[in-house]
Amino acid sequence: MVGKKSGKALLREEGLERTDNNLDLTTWPQVNMINQKNYYTEFLKRDDQFLAYRSQNEEARSRMVREARDKDRALAQSSRVGEDGVTEMAEDTAAEEAVAAMGTQEAFGSKLIVIHVGSQNLRIGLGTDALPKTIPMVIARKWQENESEEDGGEPKPKRLKIDGEVPDEPEKWFGEDFASQYATMCSELRVRMRNNKRRVLPNSKELVVNYNRRTPPETISEHNDPNRIDWTELPRNPQESPDFFTGQAALRLPEQSNPRYKLFWPIRNGWFNENDYSNKNQLYHDVSRIFEEAFKTQLGITKRKDMSNYNCVFIIPDLYERTYVTTMLDILIRDLGLGKVCFQQESLAATFGAGYSISCIVDIGAQKTSVCCVDEGLCLEDSRINTKFGGADVTETFIKMMLYDHFPYADMNLKRRYDFLLAEELKIKFCTMMESDVTVQTYEFHLRAAGQDTRKYYFKTYDQPMLAPMGFFKPSIYDHSQKLDSRRKLIPRSVDLYDGSPNDPMSAAQAAVIENAAGKPATENGTIPEPPSVPQVTSTPSRQQPFSLLSRLNDIEVTPRSSVAGSPGPEGTPNPDRDTPAAGDADKPSIFFDPVLEKTKAAEERDKTLPIMPLDTAIMTSISQGARGDERKMRDFFGGIMLIGGGSKTVGLNLFLEERLRELKPGFQKEILIGPPPRDLDPQVLVWKGGSVFGKLSSSGNDSWISQKEYDYLGHRLLVNKCMFPW
């Protein structure tokens, strides 16, 4: 029997015995292990460790030093020696300092640019301007054919063809669906007027149709027209023609110009216009070009090197897209070279301009309508609503209704520039929401086209001027067929940097709008009922629940409660307790849950649905989500509803909307109040005015500015620390 061997013998036999001379393998110093019990670090735990905050403090410190030096210099220069040799200080030193401070503030305002971009108009101006300059957000570029000649010259509104030809009867031009909705709205208006003791003539429609059908236009020679239009002139040599025109000059280009020009609108329905562009770089370049030309023509900034001396407040939608914000930031700093940029939401800027602390802002723009509740300087996240209809839909529907009733200018085509301007003029002049104006009235207008004599038309209207803006409360009358065309064709959805899930902001109110647009009815208070809870997936087959976008959003975007069950395994791995098939269920496939995939599916479903909801229901939904059951706050929101935007200038809209809201909320009859902006401010420029007020706040108390240096270092990641709203 072999005895037990010692440890040294084993090491010697196995070749594991150490034979070196105990020298270190390297002279590099060895770091001891961290004691986890006493481990502590201050990395990224103080504000001065962030570049955004550190640079701001450095600027404030340098500004204080500069002001102190200027003050000492002023004091030294203000002391003077009198004739008797006695040194005396000037008595007006305090006044001089006040004047110097005022001059500094004035200089800061003169170097401030405020930009508010809309789908149809761009409002831009300096901080010292009382009102902004308004120019069309359009650019005309050399093209093979203009916009009215594309698609075979198909007009807008589109006329339906029967057997390849447009019928002679205007009643058949727009289809049976439009005809039935138009007739329904006419009958509902008659019933409403009878209930309100308004006189309704039975043959009003026939009077309008017969008059419009048999009234020919008058021809006025161009030299006898005192209000003739100065069209944009082009050089005789087509090779010398500019490559592009922007703003009003683009809309005044003759249709049959040589060379041809086509209009491009970079912003449509509140987001980038991906339908008319084939390259996103060209889209961004057009936006940059429009801004640059506005700086030159409207603000007098002609030199590129001077742009770094200007700061810019850029107004963005309440329910924004991240790609839109980051792209605009890149255009303003990289392409245009502005010194500093900060972003402000539309509704919050409106409260700055009006001086309100709590309000429900209803912004009716050209192609989108937004509703948002603002409380104490913050846009309530769950109350934000962005619907895709506005004043442009009113214009198109008004023209369709007039053409349906034998409008004397039957060749109206909104793709033609002069017809588009004429339609906007007719809408502004004649559309109303006052029932007292619903009578048979005779009007006139002048049609002015380049190279043609002026034509003077006479026509009659009855209920068309009121039914067109009533589409705000029945948006199905509007044409939404092309608003989602080419969506996400050029610009992808913004995704999270780490897991790749969509991260565009979403609100509970907007989810309710999408559910309503998808065909799910709203409750009496304007909100979407909560969907039934989906049962847990088990081995026992259960009845499949119908798809609900709101339930999916609630399940995904809200932090779930703690569970007594064990922690799940890694993503994409089967759960043995849940996914293992039971006896008799061998044919059932295993179920996997991927939260990133679920978020992506929910975002894709959102993109397939155009957010549309009646205006009164949208306001109710926004206030319900903003108040969150607090009756006092709900009364404050109902009492502070403010209509802004170009669409809000329709006569009588606020009174009509008040009546509709009181019908939906009979318990708030006294609280519901809708008013125009205070101090007789134009509702179209109120948002711009609020941006100007915000930009002229003390720079030491405003940490929202993004400088060129910071953007070069960190890019759009700075927005997390620089935005006043959650990014």
Side-chain angles (χ1 to χ4, degrees), residues 362-383:
V362 182
D363 188 354
I364 305 177
Q367 297 181 3
K368 74 173 181 64
T369 298
S370 61
V371 186
C372 181
C373 295
V374 181
D375 186 15
E376 298 296 338
L378 287 176
C379 293
L380 302 183
E381 295 182 43
D382 285 336
S383 68

Side-chain angles (χ1 to χ4, degrees), residues 117-155:
V117 177
S119 300
Q120 188 165 310
N121 291 313
L122 167 67
R123 291 181 175 86
I124 187 172
L126 296 174
T128 54
D129 296 338
L131 294 174
K133 282 80 173 178
T134 301
I135 58 177
M137 187 65 186
V138 63
I139 184 171
R141 290 191 174 276
K142 288 183 179 180
W143 215 253
Q144 297 178 354
E145 53 187 4
N146 59 45
E147 60 276 6
S148 62
E149 296 172 343
E150 290 186 328
D151 301 328
E154 183 177 346

Side-chain angles (χ1 to χ4, degrees), residues 164-442:
E165 295 183 357
V166 178
D168 296 333
E169 300 84 358
E171 294 85 355
K172 300 180 181 179
W173 283 357
F174 310 113
E176 297 180 359
D177 186 24
F178 176 80
S180 61
Q181 291 194 61
Y182 184 30
T184 301
M185 294 181 69
C186 292
S187 61
E188 291 176 352
L189 181 59
R190 285 197 298 269
V191 172
R192 180 186 180 88
M193 293 180 64
R194 289 194 183 100
N195 294 337
N196 294 336
K197 310 301 181 184
R198 299 283 183 183
R199 183 181 179 184
V200 179
L201 297 178
N203 60 341
S204 300
K205 280 287 187 182
E206 289 76 8
L207 292 174
V208 171
V209 171
N210 293 332
Y211 182 86
N212 292 340
R213 181 185 296 163
R214 58 181 172 80
T215 305
E218 297 180 6
T219 303
I220 303 175
S221 58
E222 187 176 1
H223 63 274
N224 289 331
D225 185 6
N227 297 320
R228 60 181 177 271
I229 297 176
D230 294 331
W231 301 96
T232 302
E233 296 184 1
L234 296 176
R236 294 185 177 181
N237 186 3
Q239 302 297 330
E240 299 177 358
S241 299
D243 293 334
F244 65 91
F245 290 91
T246 62
Q248 197 68 30
L251 292 179
R252 295 300 187 189
L253 281 169
E255 297 287 333
Q256 306 300 324
S257 62
N258 184 21
R260 290 285 195 274
Y261 285 86
K262 179 184 176 182
L263 297 184
F264 289 91
W265 302 82
I267 308 295
R268 296 275 85 179
N269 301 300
W271 52 44
F272 284 121
N273 181 9
E274 301 174 80
N275 189 27
D276 295 340
Y277 286 88
S278 58
N279 186 354
K280 68 178 181 180
N281 292 330
Q282 185 64 46
L283 171 60
Y284 299 157
H285 182 68
D286 282 357
V287 175
S288 175
R289 184 67 69 181
I290 293 174
F291 289 168
E292 186 177 1
E293 291 299 313
F295 291 160
K296 293 179 181 179
T297 60
Q298 306 297 327
L299 306 183
I301 308 174
T302 57
K303 296 181 180 179
R304 179 66 181 270
K305 62 180 181 180
D306 295 337
M307 296 300 299
S308 60
N309 300 325
Y310 288 84
N311 301 334
C312 177
V313 175
F314 193 88
I315 310 296
I316 63 173
D318 305 319
L319 199 60
Y320 54 87
E321 291 185 346
R322 285 172 175 257
T323 306
Y324 175 84
V325 179
T326 56
T327 301
M328 289 298 183
L329 178 60
D330 191 75
I331 289 174
L332 294 173
I333 291 185
R334 292 275 173 83
D335 294 352
L336 301 178
L338 289 169
K340 291 183 179 180
V341 176
C342 77
F343 293 100
Q344 184 61 273
Q345 292 172 295
E346 288 178 340
S347 295
L348 185 56
T351 58
F352 269 97
Y356 290 170
S357 61
I358 182 170
S359 179
C360 178
I361 305 298
V362 182
D363 188 354
I364 305 177
Q367 297 181 3
K368 74 173 181 64
T369 298
S370 61
V371 186
C372 181
C373 295
V374 181
D375 186 15
E376 298 296 338
L378 287 176
C379 293
L380 302 183
E381 295 182 43
D382 285 336
S383 68
R384 296 175 294 177
I385 286 179
N386 192 320
T387 57
K388 301 304 179 183
F389 61 86
D393 296 281
V394 176
T395 303
E396 183 179 355
T397 305
F398 177 59
I399 297 302
K400 289 174 69 174
M401 291 178 176
M402 294 302 302
L403 291 173
Y404 186 91
D405 292 331
H406 295 261
F407 192 55
Y409 180 37
D411 194 31
M412 173 75 79
N413 181 7
L414 296 182
K415 289 184 178 180
R416 284 198 293 256
R417 297 152 198 170
Y418 57 86
D419 282 349
F420 169 75
L421 297 175
L422 174 63
E424 288 289 329
E425 180 184 354
L426 295 178
K427 179 195 69 173
I428 295 173
K429 283 185 177 180
F430 306 131
C431 282
T432 179
M433 294 291 287
M434 300 293 293
E435 294 181 0
S436 58
D437 296 334
V438 182
T439 57
V440 178
Q441 301 186 50
T442 304

Side-chain angles (χ1 to χ4, degrees), residues 322-323 488 492-505 553 556-557 571 594-604 606-607:
R322 285 172 175 257
T323 306
R488 305 294 184 192
R493 186 186 300 107
S494 176
V495 295
D496 188 81
L497 181 63
Y498 298 100
D499 60 9
S501 61
N503 60 357
D504 279 331
L553 291 172
I556 294 171
E557 299 186 0
E571 296 179 4
D594 188 353
V596 176
L597 181 60
E598 291 296 317
K599 288 184 179 181
T600 304
K601 289 181 178 179
E604 290 176 354
R606 288 201 302 263
D607 289 342

Side-chain angles (χ1 to χ4, degrees), residues 51-121:
L51 175 65
Y53 293 102
R54 188 169 64 251
S55 59
Q56 176 188 349
N57 294 334
E58 291 174 356
E59 290 181 3
R61 191 180 302 109
S62 62
R63 184 175 57 253
M64 292 176 60
V65 172
R66 184 172 59 254
E67 291 177 355
R69 289 177 179 174
D70 294 342
K71 186 177 180 180
D72 292 342
R73 187 180 299 108
L75 290 174
Q77 293 177 355
S78 61
S79 61
R80 59 181 180 270
V81 180
E83 295 179 355
D84 54 352
V86 179
T87 302
E88 57 181 7
M89 297 294 296
E91 298 178 356
D92 55 350
T93 302
E96 291 179 358
E97 292 180 357
V99 172
M102 187 179 301
T104 303
Q105 184 70 15
E106 182 72 18
F108 180 74
S110 63
K111 297 297 182 180
L112 174 67
I113 301 175
V114 185
I115 301 177
H116 183 204
V117 177
S119 300
Q120 188 165 310
N121 291 313

